[in-house]
């Protein structure tokens, strides 16, 4: 099985002296759907950023998508890593006054010739088709021409997924993608992620505070507690009691 | 009871505030003695003003003259329009360089900001005088003045609009490795667009008003005609020109207001 992310003895201290975690070891392989859980401030977001080179780690070694680095990847490595990743955050981060189609296309920014993703009117034809395909994947084809600020929160988050998907990523990273959605829209977004990951063979790593989401849409759960990996096991083997322990003081 | 509460709530005037107030009042009184019209001047001035207005009536409506005024007005518009368009286009890079967090040149953005401030704080008539000396009398000097004036105005407000643009999409795009210029074009400008258009319309309105007076220092347009009329004591011509200017500026304001209300 191809390794997507390998981490050994990983530690992170913020410059202000705050030690977030240490001695973290991870091995995430292709096509896995991984839920990262832990209480507020446990270091989930920080860990995600370190793994993809957006934040320097303080110690340990990381191999992400075949790029081996300590602390931070080189600029060339970072670029190669980014090209294979799609991101979705808690806030969709769409450009309000642009069309849905343009927002999806903007997932191509940062690729060679990326300036043609400024606006759908100047995009390459096949990019536009890929963007439409991504919109179809999140079931929003009929909204392609709508302005982003006319969407509901759930729809906007699905557009954000389409924007990540149009990059044809090997790895999808989502930091609390359902946290600001109502239960129905939240499940909807999570199941779209999960289906797409399975269908396209994308590795999917997400953080969540919703244990139902963690159990339902993952193959594996990694729990952080007190700066360590509290447990890391296949979702089928995780019990309710395990989950409770993660959040007990 | 009530009074005492009230008194306690009102802070007493500090001696410093009091002395400053007295000093300010003294300054105003002394200055007024030197520059404000005396009652005698007012008494003499009002009849003279009435006499002037009388000599301005009726406005000169000869076709020849009206035609000349018309072409001068067209020239004024051309100065305003070309100056604004060029100014707005040049304001965009200035604004990009100046805007906090968006600028590609880091702390050097202050150089761009200072340049824009310089353009703004030096009055347009002074720029006009400079350009008239540099390129000679006529509309070209006027257009250059409006360009500089527009950069001073739009450069600042465009930069503010860019700084106010929604940060979240910018972060999302930076995370996937988008270049600064791509983020500017893909996220910042679309978000700032209503504000940019509003500012541009204000700039156009302002440009029409300034291009009217630029002629007074020889930088082309209707102002030149007005100066000639006063210099040659042709007061009936002057009143026509003043009325035309008034009409144009009002129409301009109505038009830009109308357009502004359409932008959202
Ligand atoms: N830029 C920063 N500088 C210093 N400390 C930070 C910074 N960002 C986060 N921290 C601290 O690091 C710790 C981990 O934060 P992080 O955001 O990774 O937690 P999290 O698990 O994602 O929490 P949440 O569930 O609230 O999103 C927290 O104690 C936080 O205060
Ligand atoms: Mg977090």
């Amino acid at each position: 099985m191809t390794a997507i992310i390998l981490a050994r003895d990983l530690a992170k201290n913020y410059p202000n002296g705050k030690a977030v975690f240490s001695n973290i070891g991870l091995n995430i392989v292709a096509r896995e759907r991984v839920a990262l859980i832990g209480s507020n401030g446990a270091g989930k977001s920080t860990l995600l950023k370190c793994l993809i080179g957006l934040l320097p780690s303080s110690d340990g070694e990381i191999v992400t998508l075949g790029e081996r680095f300590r602390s931070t990847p080189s600029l060339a490595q970072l670029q190669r890593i980014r090209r294979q990743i799609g991101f979705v955050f808690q806030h969709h981060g769409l450009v309000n006054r642009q069309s849905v189609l343009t927002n999806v296309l903007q997932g191509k920014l940062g690729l060679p010739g990326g300036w043609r993703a400024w606006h759908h009117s100047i995009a390459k034809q096949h990019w536009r088709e890929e963007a439409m395909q991504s919109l179809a994947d999140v079931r929003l084809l009929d909204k392609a021409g709508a302005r982003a600020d006319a969407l509901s929160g759930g729809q906007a988050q699905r557009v954000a997924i389409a924007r990540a998907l149009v990059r044809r990523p090997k790895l999808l990273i989502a930091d609390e993608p359902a946290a600001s959605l109502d239960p129905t829209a939240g499940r909807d977004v999570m199941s779209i992620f999960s289906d797409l990951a399975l269908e396209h063979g994308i590795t999917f790593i997400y953080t969540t505070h919703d244990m139902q989401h963690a159990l339902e849409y993952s193959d594996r759960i990694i729990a952080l507690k007190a700066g360590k990996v509290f447990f890391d096991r296949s979702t089928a083997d995780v019990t309710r009691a395990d989950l409770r322990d993660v959040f007990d003081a | 009871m009530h009074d005492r509460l009230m008194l306690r709530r009102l802070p007493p005037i500090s001696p410093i505030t009091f002395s400053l107030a007295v000093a300010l009042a003294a300054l105003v009184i002394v200055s007024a003695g030197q520059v404000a019209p005396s009652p005698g001047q007012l008494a003499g001035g009002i009849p003279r003003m009435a006499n002037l207005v009388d000599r301005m009536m009726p406005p000169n409506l000869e076709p020849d003259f009206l035609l000349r005024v018309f072409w001068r007005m067209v020239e004024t518009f051309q100065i305003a329009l070309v100056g604004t368009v060029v100014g707005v286009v040049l304001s965009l890079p200035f604004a990009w360089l100046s805007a906090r967090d968006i600028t590609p040149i880091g702390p050097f953005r202050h150089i761009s900001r200072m340049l824009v401030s310089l353009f703004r704080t030096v009055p347009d008539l002074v720029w006009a005088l400079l350009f008239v000396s540099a390129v000679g009398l006529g509309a070209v000097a006027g257009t250059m003045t409006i360009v500089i004036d527009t950069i001073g105005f739009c450069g600042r407000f465009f930069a503010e609009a860019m700084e106010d643009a929604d940060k979240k999409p910018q972060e999302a795009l930076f995370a996937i490795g988008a270049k600064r210029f791509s983020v500017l074009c893909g996220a910042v400008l679309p978000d700032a667009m209503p504000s940019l258009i509003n500012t541009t319309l204000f700039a156009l309105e302002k440009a029409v008003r300034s291009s009217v007076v630029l002629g007074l220092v020889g930088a082309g347009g209707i102002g030149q005609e007005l100066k000639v009329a006063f210099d040659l004591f042709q007061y009936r011509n002057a009143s026509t020109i003043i009325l035309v200017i008034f009409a144009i500026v009002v129409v301009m304001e109505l038009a830009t207001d109308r357009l502004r209300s359409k932008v959202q």
Side-chain angles (χ1 to χ4, degrees):
Chain A
M1 280 189 284
T2 344
I4 296 291
I5 292 182
L6 271 171
R8 243 181 346 135
D9 296 332
L10 197 65
K12 171 67 185 173
N13 310 311
Y14 275 108
N16 61 6
K18 165 94 197 169
V20 187
F21 50 72
S22 60
N23 279 320
I24 302 268
L26 288 176
N27 180 5
I28 295 171
V29 298
R31 294 161 186 272
E32 259 187 316
R33 297 170 305 157
V34 179
L36 192 55
I37 62 171
S39 19
N40 289 124
K44 304 179 294 295
S45 304
T46 305
L47 178 59
L48 282 184
K49 285 185 196 149
C50 288
L51 291 176
I52 55 185
L54 290 183
L55 264 184
S57 49
S58 318
D59 198 10
E61 194 181 48
I62 300 173
V63 187
T64 294
L65 296 163
E67 306 294 335
R68 180 182 301 267
F69 59 92
R70 301 183 73 88
S71 183
T72 35
S74 72
L75 230 68
Q77 284 182 315
L78 181 60
Q79 203 171 28
R80 283 196 294 270
I81 292 173
R82 273 170 165 168
R83 283 203 187 138
Q84 307 178 66
I85 300 185
F87 298 94
V88 176
F89 303 101
Q90 178 175 347
H91 188 276
H92 52 75
L94 301 182
V95 184
N96 275 330
R97 298 177 44 79
Q98 296 274 42
S99 71
V100 165
L101 181 59
T102 294
N103 270 289
V104 175
L105 270 163
Q106 289 191 339
K108 296 281 193 190
L109 290 176
L111 300 184
W115 65 273
R116 296 195 59 181
W118 291 347
H119 193 265
H120 63 76
S121 59
I122 55 171
K124 298 176 192 160
Q125 183 60 29
H126 72 275
W127 279 12
R128 223 176 351 223
E129 280 158 14
E130 285 176 43
M132 292 304 266
Q133 183 53 51
S134 299
L135 274 175
D137 286 341
V138 299
R139 304 196 312 269
L140 279 176
L141 206 47
D142 55 321
K143 294 283 183 191
R147 242 170 67 163
D149 51 8
L151 301 177
S152 72
Q155 291 172 331
Q157 197 61 303
R158 275 148 66 192
V159 174
I161 297 176
R163 181 175 63 187
L165 208 61
V166 82
R167 301 169 67 72
R168 303 262 163 109
K170 277 206 183 126
L171 172 60
L172 258 177
I173 301 266
D175 196 355
E176 300 190 34
S180 45
L181 304 179
D182 68 45
T184 314
R187 292 180 56 82
D188 196 29
V189 159
M190 289 311 300
S191 72
I192 284 180
F193 263 126
S194 169
D195 293 350
L196 287 172
L198 292 173
E199 183 184 332
H200 296 277
I202 302 171
T203 309
F204 175 40
I205 307 177
Y206 64 101
T207 67
T208 182
H209 287 294
D210 185 321
M211 290 307 113
Q212 204 52 47
H213 290 177
L215 289 169
E216 201 165 332
Y217 304 107
S218 72
D219 305 307
R220 178 170 162 196
I221 298 181
I222 300 175
L224 293 184
K225 186 174 178 179
K228 305 276 186 247
V229 174
F230 183 64
F231 66 73
D232 174 354
R233 65 178 78 126
S234 146
T235 306
D237 301 336
V238 174
T239 64
R240 294 266 161 194
D242 291 333
L243 294 178
R244 253 196 319 278
D245 288 346
V246 175
F247 299 97
D248 280 348
Chain B
M1 181 64 194
H2 242 79
D3 282 0
R4 239 189 302 152
L5 272 180
M6 287 289 284
L7 276 179
R8 209 176 317 147
R9 213 173 301 156
L10 290 174
I13 294 177
S14 77
I16 296 177
T17 315
F18 181 74
S19 349
L20 279 177
V22 170
L24 185 67
L27 183 68
V28 170
I29 292 169
V30 170
S31 304
Q34 286 166 355
V35 299
S38 66
Q41 278 171 315
L42 270 181
I46 286 170
R48 265 203 297 278
M49 196 69 196
N51 177 269
L52 181 65
V53 169
D54 189 47
R55 283 202 280 166
M56 283 178 145
M57 288 299 139
N60 184 356
L61 296 178
E62 285 163 28
D64 274 4
F65 175 67
L66 283 183
L67 194 67
R68 205 165 78 219
V69 169
F70 173 78
W71 283 117
R72 279 300 198 182
M73 208 57 230
V74 168
E75 187 184 59
T76 308
F77 256 124
Q78 287 172 320
I79 292 173
L81 193 67
V82 175
T84 308
V85 170
V86 175
V88 163
V89 169
L90 293 180
S91 294
L92 287 169
F94 272 106
W96 186 40
L97 293 178
S98 320
R100 183 172 14 90
D101 295 341
I102 291 172
T103 177
I105 55 174
F108 295 105
R109 74 188 182 91
H110 290 290
I111 296 175
S112 167
R113 282 187 42 166
M114 267 155 50
L115 213 56
V116 170
S117 297
L118 176 75
F119 292 164
R120 184 175 56 248
T121 43
V122 176
D124 49 1
L125 280 180
V126 175
W127 286 116
L129 281 172
L130 285 173
F131 287 127
V132 166
S133 332
V135 301
L137 291 170
V140 175
T143 307
M144 291 170 78
T145 304
I146 300 294
V147 168
I148 293 295
D149 219 29
T150 303
I151 297 176
F153 181 74
C154 291
R156 172 186 172 176
F157 288 107
F158 284 7
E160 281 178 10
M162 291 177 188
E163 288 170 1
D164 288 345
D166 191 355
K167 290 279 182 295
K168 295 199 192 73
Q170 297 174 38
E171 282 161 13
L173 296 181
F174 276 130
I176 61 173
K179 301 271 181 303
R180 273 179 182 278
F181 192 59
S182 285
V183 174
L184 177 79
C185 296
V188 178
L189 287 181
D191 206 58
M193 197 47 78
S195 172
L196 300 186
I197 292 175
N198 262 330
T199 305
T200 300
L201 289 172
F202 271 119
L204 183 63
E205 194 182 309
K206 197 164 110 63
V208 169
R209 248 178 289 137
S210 15
S211 60
V212 159
V213 292
L214 291 182
L216 298 180
V217 296
I222 189 88
Q224 214 147 310
E225 207 61 47
L226 188 63
K227 182 162 160 39
V228 168
F230 271 108
D231 285 351
L232 303 181
F233 308 109
Q234 295 164 337
Y235 294 115
R236 292 180 53 216
N237 288 2
S239 61
T240 308
I241 295 167
I242 290 171
L243 287 175
V244 169
I245 291 174
F246 175 71
I248 293 298
V249 171
V250 168
V251 167
M252 204 54 214
E253 270 180 31
L254 288 178
T256 52
D257 272 350
R258 191 70 177 273
L259 284 172
R260 256 196 295 279
S261 67
K262 290 232 166 78
V263 184
Q264 35 102 4

